[in-house]
Amino acid sequence: MDDGAVKLNAYIFETTYKPMKHVYLILCFLSTGLFAQKIDVNKQFALAGQQYQRMLADHPDTSTTVHSARPDGTYRNLPSGWWCSGFFPGSLWFLYEKTKDPQWEKAARLWTAAVKKEQFNTGTHDLGFMMFDSFGNQLRLTKDPQAKQVLIQSAKSLATRFDPKVGLIKSWNSFKGGFKYPVIIDNMMNLELLFWASRETGDKRFHDIAITHAENTIKNHFRPDYSSYHVILYDEEGKVLAKKQHQGYQDESTWTRGHAWAIYGFTTMYRETKNKKYLDFAQKIADYYLNHPNLPADKIPYWDFYAPNIPNEERDASAGAITASALFELSTYSGAKGKRYYQDAVTMLSSLSSPAYRASLGENNNFLIKHCVGAKSLNSEIDVPLVYADYYYLEGLLRYEALNKKAKN
Ligand code: GLY
């Protein structure tokens, strides 16, 4: 090699490989850090127990359900007919599942009973949220036959909202602009109750309603890039009249919690049917979310992927908790792709477990997770705790723990 070539090689090494070596080392360090992320589930549950003991002490009366807090520091409790009434009892059931401590079973039964009358509620599509997260967890953990009867009645009430001409469960009874058949993406979360009821009763109608609803949701609720609309407005024959946002920023943006419901809902569709079409769809919409350029490094999204002032917009930690829990399940069905879903779910759960989102004892009105958004578009519940963020956070911790135990065995 002549002197010029040596100099050239030295130059190439100095300018290209040496800096790249640093980049490589930094990447190794980061990825080692990432893979070494460990969430202390026992510690998080111990803290959750202490917080929820305080929450119970602050709520001696079950006539309204634990929901959120107001900016003035007072609790915002709502009636059992509100879509969120199953989440607090559900979280108490998760505490019981983890600890087997009878105090949590007692509290969970009490708060679950407070939702019982909603089994007859035909005025809402949210019976999956309300009844399956409360009575569904009670049944799963205690095999209580009374819970089974409540859930069968709840499925019957939910099925009254399905019109075969439209091919979807009606979400809300009306929508601004005189629309009479609104269907929201969140509705995907109520189908699990129908699959369960179909198996339990042998009545295939529940199963068929869930499938038809999901098929029409795939057809109408998504754009070609797998982003989602919040509200689809149908006429009485099932024709799409309009596609709108309600809790998101704009009709053509993507409300992140709505998209989280979709990831969770289609993952459940695959679990319940084993139809690969739903797995493929769940992966495509999960990829849209995870690859979005506006998803921050800690993987807790802004309240809308196109909120107008990103990065100066509120995060919605509830969307992060729902997505993390869904991705843990999706990872188990996804072969080699599953590693990425698992790792991203761990990043989300680690973020939620950090002081940036995880309340310390006595903070945040005793809710576990800070920084959620109910509906910024409606100027409602901005940067507050929300009971469903706590629910999916605890579910995510349990799923993470179960997956790690399985990997060790
Ligand atoms: N299901 C209503 C919401 O996610 O805010």
Side-chain angles (χ1 to χ4, degrees):
M1 206 183 280
D2 66 27
D3 196 37
V6 170
K7 277 195 184 133
L8 184 63
N9 277 346
Y11 175 75
I12 290 170
F13 178 75
E14 282 301 318
T15 56
T16 310
Y17 292 111
K18 215 168 156 187
M20 269 176 59
K21 195 174 149 202
H22 289 133
V23 171
Y24 175 70
L25 286 175
I26 289 167
L27 282 177
C28 283
F29 172 75
L30 281 178
S31 65
T32 316
L34 223 56
F35 285 102
Q37 276 170 340
K38 279 266 182 289
I39 301 153
D40 190 338
V41 175
N42 291 338
K43 186 177 133 199
Q44 290 303 337
F45 262 89
L47 176 57
Q50 286 177 296
Q51 278 171 284
Y52 270 26
Q53 269 165 346
R54 297 165 76 117
M55 184 71 96
L56 287 169
D58 281 355
H59 291 84
D61 156 22
T62 60
S63 65
T64 56
T65 185
V66 171
H67 174 64
S68 181
R70 298 190 186 87
D72 67 4
T74 56
Y75 282 107
R76 182 161 185 254
N77 303 329
L78 292 168
S80 64
W82 181 242
W83 71 278
C84 301
S85 57
F87 294 119
F88 185 57
S91 294
L92 296 171
W93 283 117
F94 288 149
L95 279 160
Y96 174 60
E97 182 174 6
K98 173 72 181 155
T99 62
K100 298 291 175 292
D101 182 336
Q103 70 160 317
W104 296 118
E105 182 182 5
K106 189 168 167 227
R109 281 187 185 277
L110 185 73
W111 282 86
T112 296
V115 185
K116 190 174 175 186
K117 70 175 195 294
E118 303 306 330
Q119 66 184 302
F120 301 106
N121 187 344
T122 55
T124 177
H125 73 127
D126 282 319
L127 288 167
F129 281 124
M130 294 151 78
M131 310 312 285
F132 216 64
D133 298 342
S134 53
F135 282 94
N137 278 312
Q138 177 160 327
L139 179 64
R140 185 173 64 84
L141 296 171
T142 69
K143 310 279 178 265
D144 182 348
Q146 186 240 163
K148 200 181 274 187
Q149 290 316 310
V150 172
L151 289 168
I152 291 171
Q153 178 54 50
S154 304
K156 287 182 185 162
S157 298
L158 176 57
T160 65
R161 298 183 67 81
F162 179 80
D163 183 337
K165 277 210 301 293
V166 181
L168 289 133
I169 297 164
K170 185 193 270 200
S171 300
W172 298 327
N173 295 333
S174 61
F175 190 77
K176 56 186 182 264
F179 296 105
K180 300 246 165 34
Y181 211 108
V183 179
I184 61 173
I185 191 65
D186 326 29
N187 210 331
M188 285 303 302
M189 296 296 286
N190 296 310
L191 305 184
E192 187 178 5
L193 170 65
L194 297 178
F195 283 113
W196 172 86
S198 186
R199 272 197 309 278
E200 195 57 41
T201 62
D203 186 344
K204 197 163 169 293
R205 199 174 93 86
F206 294 126
H207 170 274
D208 293 347
I209 289 174
I211 298 283
T212 310
H213 184 95
E215 287 294 326
N216 284 318
T217 301
I218 289 179
K219 201 158 101 195
N220 298 322
H221 245 102
F222 294 88
R223 305 182 186 91
D225 65 354
Y226 298 98
S227 61
S228 52
Y229 290 97
H230 183 197
V231 192
I232 307 295
L233 300 152
Y234 293 90
D235 73 5
E236 283 155 6
E237 306 298 320
K239 186 173 154 236
V240 174
L241 299 175
K243 302 188 175 199
K244 299 274 180 199
Q245 275 300 344
H246 186 60
Q247 285 158 263
Y249 171 52
Q250 281 180 338
D251 293 346
E252 291 303 326
S253 69
T254 292
W255 173 47
T256 49
R257 192 168 59 255
H259 205 81
W261 294 136
I263 297 169
Y264 197 116
F266 280 99
T267 302
T268 305
M269 283 301 296
Y270 177 67
R271 183 211 308 147
E272 295 292 344
T273 64
K274 293 288 171 268
N275 182 340
K276 285 268 193 299
K277 173 181 178 179
Y278 300 129
L279 175 60
D280 180 60
F281 198 75
Q283 291 173 343
K284 292 229 164 65
I285 56 180
D287 292 348
Y288 172 84
Y289 188 104
L290 298 174
N291 295 334
H292 201 286
N294 288 341
L295 183 66
D298 68 2
K299 299 201 189 289
I300 305 301
Y302 298 99
W303 60 278
D304 190 294
F305 277 126
Y306 294 100
N309 300 311
I310 289 173
N312 299 314
E313 290 281 357
E314 292 78 11
R315 306 294 188 89
D316 179 13
S318 74
I322 296 158
T323 306
S325 187
L327 289 178
F328 280 126
E329 181 170 4
L330 186 59
S331 75
T332 65
Y333 307 139
S334 299
K337 247 187 132 171
K339 284 203 186 98
R340 195 252 170 127
Y341 297 140
Y342 174 82
Q343 199 51 55
D344 282 349
V346 173
T347 303
M348 292 172 196
L349 205 62
S350 302
S351 302
L352 292 171
S353 301
S354 77
Y357 299 97
R358 182 70 168 91
S360 47
L361 190 60
E363 199 192 1
N364 202 34
N365 284 71
N366 302 311
F367 288 91
L368 313 182
I369 298 295
K370 307 183 277 188
H371 305 312
C372 305
V373 174
K376 187 162 177 181
S377 57
L378 307 173
N379 202 22
S380 166
E381 301 181 331
I382 302 165
D383 197 15
V384 293
L386 286 167
V387 69
Y388 40 95
D390 288 12
Y391 178 88
Y392 291 100
Y393 173 66
L394 292 178
E395 185 183 68
L397 287 174
L398 289 174
R399 288 181 171 188
Y400 168 77
E401 181 174 62
L403 286 178
N404 285 352
K405 269 193 193 140
K406 208 169 150 201
K408 271 188 207 140
N409 293 334

